[in-house]
Amino acid sequence: MKNIEFKKGKSNMTGLIAVVCVVLTAAAVAAGTLAFKHFSEKSKENQTDKGYSFSTEGFESVSQVKCLNEKFAVFTDSASGKQGLMSLDGKITEKAEHNSFSVCSDVWRNYRYICESPRSEYLLLVDPESGTVTSRQYHGLTVPELIPCWSEVGKHLAWTDEKGYAGEVKASELALEPGLYPVATSLTDGAKYGYINQNLQLDIALLYENAMDFSDGIAAVKSGGKWGYINSNGVITVPFELDSCSAADAMGKDCAFSFRNGLAPVCKDGKFGIINEKGESVVDFSFDIILQGNNGVYIASKGGAWGLITVDKQLVAAETTTQTPDSPDYSGTPAVERGVYMVKTSGSVLNLRSAADPNSSVVAKIPNGTELTVSKAVTGWAYVKYNSVSGWVSSDYLVKVTTTQTETATASNTAVSQ
């Protein structure tokens, strides 16, 4: 190193001080850089240790996101204030150019997704399969005229209107598929909730203040002002210590999210996190909002910023797969072939569902005797189109149409017309 000679005098002292300051500053910067590098690596390490990541990439222009249904969410563009749709893993399916989205049920559990849009002076229907706004207008009811409630007096399911009891519900009128369905004792505040089976029998007692659909064999129920989870036997699996997830729901209704892939977003003490089926925290309760997700990916908000939570794959349960005839443990009804089928139920209608799942939402009701074309199928389910609405129906209620059947049906219809 070259020696530096300092001469006596004020200017020399000033130079010495300057050199010392430069050296100290450089050392501080170097130390700060090392400290920052260490902090960044430590933060990254801690993020990995948590078992999830949170990224805001792609959400820079989003000011709000809320769940519309079990597949799609409504998002608001921060610049225009207009709304669009995205899948629950953040993929945009409908651009933000609409005024508002809403959901209604004109028949019990027959959900309709409605859009108010500059495209039309009338409300437009949303396709629940693709998450896109259609050109089809909606002029139906926003609230069903009759809703099934459990009659504690008659010990049966009863049609209920704004005046109260309106007659017993027959199993053939609903033609429910196997599963459990939440019902209330009335349409008023303070009603009690329980679950009926497909035979309209009360399967889980009327013990709760609110109740959601079953998924992964677990359902969210409310008791004592708090939400928890039970299994299909009514046994509590997650204690009643959770708050409503209404802040993440497009309609703002009192609700809790269902389990998917062994995980569910929940709210506690005003903050959202994600738990597993044992009630253990997988994502800590530090988020302002977490929406219903799928396959370990969740739309979420933290500190005013929106983004995606991705949970480590080892913490995500495998998706429930549909058995096929080739499966070694196959025990279900084989997938039907493509072709034309006729609806044959013990009742009057067959539920057209948004997914090949008995707990998924009903998008239409198909009358008995209707002919449908099956375009694809999985075990126990067939994908069909009815009145411009596509969805899944149970293949147990489909009968393959032959030439003879078609001719018979035509002759019968002709005879009736005459």
Side-chain angles (χ1 to χ4, degrees):
M1 178 178 179
K2 184 177 180 180
N3 291 328
I4 301 176
E5 182 181 352
F6 294 102
K7 295 183 179 180
K8 293 180 180 180
K10 185 177 180 180
S11 58
N12 290 340
M13 182 57 69
T14 302
L16 175 61
I17 293 173
V19 171
V20 172
C21 288
V22 170
V23 172
L24 291 176
T25 301
V29 171
T33 301
L34 290 173
F36 178 77
K37 183 178 180 182
H38 174 73
F39 175 79
S40 299
E41 290 177 349
K42 187 65 177 175
S43 297
K44 185 176 180 182
E45 178 186 337
N46 287 340
Q47 186 77 343
T48 302
D49 288 346
K50 287 182 177 180
Y52 70 90
S53 62
F54 176 62
S55 172
T56 59
E57 184 179 356
F59 282 77
E60 294 83 0
S61 63
V62 173
S63 62
Q64 187 183 70
V65 191
K66 293 195 174 185
C67 277
L68 180 67
N69 58 15
E70 69 279 0
K71 295 182 68 175
F72 297 99
V74 179
F75 74 94
T76 303
D77 180 78
S78 56
S80 65
K82 294 292 186 179
Q83 294 185 339
L85 294 175
M86 62 171 59
S87 59
L88 295 181
D89 57 1
K91 295 181 178 65
I92 293 177
T93 58
E94 184 71 37
K95 293 180 180 179
E97 55 186 24
H98 307 283
N99 300 328
S100 66
F101 290 86
S102 59
V103 58
C104 65
S105 177
D106 52 9
V107 180
W108 185 61
R109 297 179 64 84
N110 187 20
Y111 302 112
R112 302 283 189 175
Y113 302 98
I114 315 300
C115 175
E116 181 185 338
S117 173
R119 294 181 190 172
S120 171
E121 60 179 310
Y122 302 103
L123 294 174
L124 296 176
L125 283 166
V126 175
D127 181 354
E129 279 298 311
S130 63
T132 56
V133 177
T134 70
S135 59
R136 290 180 289 119
Q137 297 174 358
Y138 181 72
H139 304 288
L141 301 171
T142 55
V143 178
E145 294 180 342
L146 294 172
I147 298 177
C149 290
W150 185 260
S151 169
E152 294 186 280
V153 175
K155 302 301 178 185
H156 59 243
L157 199 65
W159 290 114
T160 307
D161 58 19
E162 56 184 10
K163 297 179 181 179
Y165 186 89
E168 183 178 353
V169 179
K170 304 298 182 183
S172 59
E173 294 180 276
L174 298 181
L176 298 178
E177 293 157 5
L180 295 176
Y181 301 84
V183 292
T185 53
S186 71
L187 304 178
T188 61
D189 293 337
K192 288 296 183 181
Y193 287 75
Y195 290 85
I196 59 169
N197 56 33
Q198 71 270 25
N199 298 317
L200 310 191
Q201 300 165 331
L202 192 64
D203 209 299
I204 295 180
L206 303 156
L207 302 172
Y208 309 106
E209 297 158 14
N210 206 340
M212 308 299 292
D213 284 339
F214 270 86
S215 178
D216 285 0
I218 301 173
V221 290
K222 187 177 183 181
S223 180
K226 293 289 185 179
W227 286 89
Y229 290 83
I230 61 172
N231 62 23
S232 57
N233 294 318
V235 177
I236 298 172
T237 59
V238 177
F240 296 101
E241 55 186 22
L242 304 172
D243 301 329
S244 173
C245 290
S246 58
D249 183 77
M251 301 300 105
K253 66 178 182 293
D254 184 23
C255 65
F257 291 131
S258 60
F259 274 89
R260 288 185 184 172
N261 307 106
L263 303 176
V266 296
C267 183
K268 187 175 182 180
D269 299 328
K271 288 292 184 179
F272 280 76
I274 297 176
I275 61 172
N276 60 24
E277 293 177 349
K278 296 179 182 179
E280 301 167 336
S281 177
V282 172
V283 172
D284 54 279
F285 288 82
S286 61
F287 288 83
D288 302 319
I289 290 179
I290 302 178
L291 275 61
Q292 176 71 71
N294 194 32
N295 202 27
V297 179
Y298 303 82
I299 299 171
S301 174
K302 188 172 187 177
W306 287 92
L308 288 179
I309 293 174
T310 303
V311 178
D312 286 355
K313 289 297 183 183
Q314 61 266 29
L315 300 175
V316 180
E319 288 196 67
T320 303
T321 55
T322 306
Q323 290 180 327
T324 66
D326 296 328
S327 302
D329 56 349
Y330 171 75
S331 59
T333 303
V336 297
E337 299 176 349
R338 294 180 182 180
V340 179
Y341 290 78
M342 182 178 291
V343 174
K344 190 169 184 179
T345 67
S346 56
S348 58
V349 295
L350 174 63
N351 290 329
L352 181 68
R353 296 187 175 275
S354 61
D357 181 345
N359 293 314
S360 63
S361 60
V362 177
V363 296
K365 291 182 178 291
I366 306 174
N368 187 32
T370 302
E371 285 192 4
L372 302 169
T373 299
V374 174
S375 57
K376 59 182 178 180
V378 295
T379 305
W381 296 89
Y383 190 75
V384 300
K385 190 173 185 178
Y386 172 69
N387 284 348
S388 300
V389 181
S390 297
W392 295 88
V393 296
S394 171
S395 58
D396 291 340
Y397 301 98
L398 298 179
V399 177
K400 189 71 179 288
V401 173
T402 63
T403 304
T404 303
Q405 286 177 307
T406 304
E407 290 172 351
T408 302
T410 303
S412 176
N413 291 335
T414 303
V416 171
S417 300
Q418 293 174 342

